[in-house]
Amino acid sequence: MEMKPYWLATAPAFTGGQSADAALPSRADVVVVGGGFTGLSAALSLARVGVDVVLLEACRVVSEASGRNGGHTSPGTSQNLAALIDSLGVQRACHYYRSFSDAVAYVQAVVQTEKIDCDLVTSGKLKLASKAKHFPGLAANYNALRQHVDEDVELLDAAAVRREIGSTAFFGGLLQHKGVQMHIGKFGTGLAEAAARRGARIFEQTPVTALVRRDGDRHEVRTARGTIVADRVLLATGCTMHGELDWWQRRIVPVGSFVIVTEPLGRELMDMVLPGRRNYVTTRTIGNYFRPTEDLRLVWGGRARFARSDPRSDSKSGRILQAGMRATFPALADTRIDYCWGGLVDMTTDRLPRAGKHDGVYYSLGYSGHGTQMAVQMGGVMASLVLGQHADNPWDRGGWAALPKHKGEAWFLPFAGLYYRWCDLIY
């Protein structure tokens, strides 16, 4: 079993970056900090219109959250629409929800325009009721979706779900047809190649150590390889611990999420387990998400443990995930696990993104586990805002309070894990 992301291990290498010994330029119109989907999408959008843009990535492009997720590109926020309406009202809730739906279409447009080979297929998303008492919540969300934002949804009873998925573990489901799957690593590499091809200069292995404001939006962007003076800076780092980025680190909670990928199952076994070939997510608080791959593997992920990702933690989490997969799909009891990895989700307290400007630095982050599509779209949005153009940014939401006694290391996560496990027991 390889302790690395399947997506990165099976993606082509990025060839469009600057060489390891290339000197940093002394200035740039825009410096983008972070080589995940937000940063690469922003760099691509800026380079398309002739902006002198430099992207700095601490490791390799898409090596962190963008290349370590479950590979779902589906509509919907972390909360269901009915819950959002209860807490925010119909207008704001629907605006937020439509933003996520529009982001799926934005990803599809980028793939088509830039001709990115990433195994993109329309699959739909099926949310599965893990307990009978969860089904009424799915029904309420179904009604809210049909009434306000999306008539192309179906409410499935337990019998219908068993025709969609080879398991007796679920008590119904909510099917949304506007979801897609893609090979995350291939997409990320293709996005980076497109940005470089359009003129963006991408420097990997170049962590930013400090941002020093000069005047207005102009900053010195300091790295171990030198300093760039940037007219504007876009921070697209998620929950990074690199550099002096205290203001953002005190507002983002890094939560571990873990994934395993099986050996190729073959068509017959895959037809038995996942005949619908969709994106799937369960309703438990500490639930699972899963989907097939183009080469007929099963990708199975979840929180598993409330711990940071490291080789030892990933291995423990992988065993928990494998046990859950086997319990859900007994037909996979003897299936080999080929890949196991972990990553960090950049969570906000309300599980909705944040994007705007602080102390002269533009930023977009906090996608809270739903960033595959939103990060790509927000890269385009932030590129427009950096250039002083109008763009719809629903995530510039006013005051953003820091978490008490928090800076990057979430000491309270084990306690949160106990609480969420208790929730799963009683609800």
Side-chain angles (χ1 to χ4, degrees):
M1 179 172 62
E2 295 193 60
M3 301 300 294
K4 64 175 66 172
Y6 164 79
W7 309 119
L8 301 182
T10 58
F14 171 51
T15 61
Q18 302 295 301
S19 65
D21 58 354
L24 290 182
S26 60
R27 69 159 308 278
D29 294 339
V30 180
V31 167
V32 176
V33 183
F37 291 159
T38 304
L40 291 170
S41 177
L44 171 61
S45 296
L46 291 166
R48 278 175 173 170
V49 295
V51 174
D52 176 26
V53 55
V54 171
L55 184 148
L56 306 175
E57 165 53 43
C59 302
R60 56 174 279 196
V61 294
V62 297
S63 61
E64 297 302 326
S66 294
R68 293 177 171 272
N69 55 68
H72 296 209
T73 308
S74 299
T77 59
S78 294
Q79 312 90 329
N80 64 51
L81 179 62
L84 273 183
I85 289 173
D86 287 344
S87 61
L88 301 175
V90 171
Q91 185 173 358
R92 284 180 66 196
C94 291
H95 186 197
Y96 290 168
Y97 190 91
R98 288 193 183 99
S99 294
F100 275 86
S101 293
D102 292 346
V104 176
Y106 188 92
V107 170
Q108 292 172 293
V110 170
V111 170
Q112 182 177 11
T113 300
E114 300 299 334
K115 297 180 173 56
I116 299 175
D117 180 9
C118 60
D119 305 333
L120 182 74
V121 295
T122 300
S123 57
K125 169 190 172 183
L126 180 56
K127 189 163 189 176
L128 298 158
S130 299
K131 296 182 181 181
K133 66 174 76 174
H134 295 178
F135 187 73
L138 293 183
N141 198 40
Y142 165 79
N143 291 329
L145 289 168
R146 283 188 59 84
Q147 180 179 354
H148 297 293
V149 295
D150 185 5
E151 293 186 351
D152 193 15
V153 294
E154 298 178 48
L155 188 65
L156 308 182
D157 62 17
V161 164
R162 284 194 287 274
R163 291 191 292 271
E164 279 275 346
I165 184 171
S167 175
T168 60
F170 303 106
F171 297 84
L174 176 60
L175 176 59
Q176 299 171 261
H177 292 280
K178 296 177 181 177
V180 302
Q181 296 169 358
M182 59 183 176
H183 188 298
I184 295 300
K186 291 180 181 179
F187 173 73
T189 300
L191 194 61
E193 298 286 9
R197 186 171 61 248
R198 299 278 189 168
R201 288 177 285 179
I202 299 175
F203 291 82
E204 298 178 293
Q205 308 300 327
T206 309
V208 170
T209 56
L211 298 174
V212 180
R213 193 173 188 178
R214 280 193 170 182
D215 55 82
D217 291 347
R218 187 173 298 170
H219 282 74
E220 291 182 9
V221 183
R222 296 179 180 175
T223 80
R225 296 174 67 169
T227 296
I228 306 176
V229 176
D231 292 339
R232 283 140 293 176
V233 174
L234 170 61
L235 190 69
T237 55
C239 47
T240 184
M241 295 301 293
H242 295 286
E244 299 176 7
L245 304 174
D246 293 11
W247 192 86
W248 293 274
Q249 290 166 352
R250 289 187 287 115
R251 287 159 173 79
I252 292 290
V253 179
V255 176
S257 194
F258 305 89
V259 187
I260 55 175
V261 176
T262 69
E263 64 183 312
L265 302 183
R267 192 163 302 278
E268 182 177 352
L269 183 53
M270 183 61 80
D271 286 344
M272 181 189 308
V273 173
L274 297 180
R277 306 287 203 275
R278 304 189 191 278
N279 297 330
Y280 305 89
V281 61
T282 68
T283 56
R284 289 186 182 274
T285 305
I286 307 177
N288 294 107
Y289 48 85
F290 50 100
R291 54 153 289 192
T293 65
E294 184 72 14
D295 58 350
L296 300 178
R297 301 172 186 268
L298 175 64
V299 181
W300 179 275
R303 296 288 177 264
R305 301 169 62 249
F306 276 70
R308 291 188 70 97
S309 173
D310 59 50
R312 185 166 173 267
S313 180
D314 293 356
S315 181
K316 286 184 177 180
S317 298
R319 291 193 291 272
I320 294 171
L321 290 173
Q322 186 176 20
M325 181 193 74
R326 288 173 170 172
T328 304
F329 298 110
L332 302 183
D334 298 322
T335 299
R336 186 181 72 241
I337 303 301
D338 281 354
Y339 297 90
C340 174
W341 72 91
L344 295 177
V345 178
D346 54 337
M347 299 287 286
T348 60
T349 54
D350 62 5
R351 296 181 298 155
L352 291 169
R354 288 280 183 166
K357 188 177 179 184
H358 170 72
D359 201 21
V361 175
Y362 295 85
Y363 65 88
S364 182
L365 61 168
Y367 303 116
S368 301
H370 286 64
T372 301
Q373 70 278 15
M374 185 52 64
V376 181
Q377 175 169 271
M378 285 307 297
V381 168
M382 297 311 296
S384 295
L385 295 177
V386 162
L387 295 178
Q389 301 168 354
H390 172 75
D392 178 28
N393 175 18
W395 314 121
D396 189 358
R397 300 184 284 128
W400 187 9
L403 289 161
K405 299 182 180 179
H406 169 64
K407 183 198 165 185
E409 291 290 344
W411 55 269
F412 46 82
L413 281 183
F415 303 100
L418 289 173
Y419 170 73
Y420 290 135
R421 288 185 179 90
W422 178 76
C423 290
D424 274 335
L425 284 174
I426 65 169
Y427 172 65

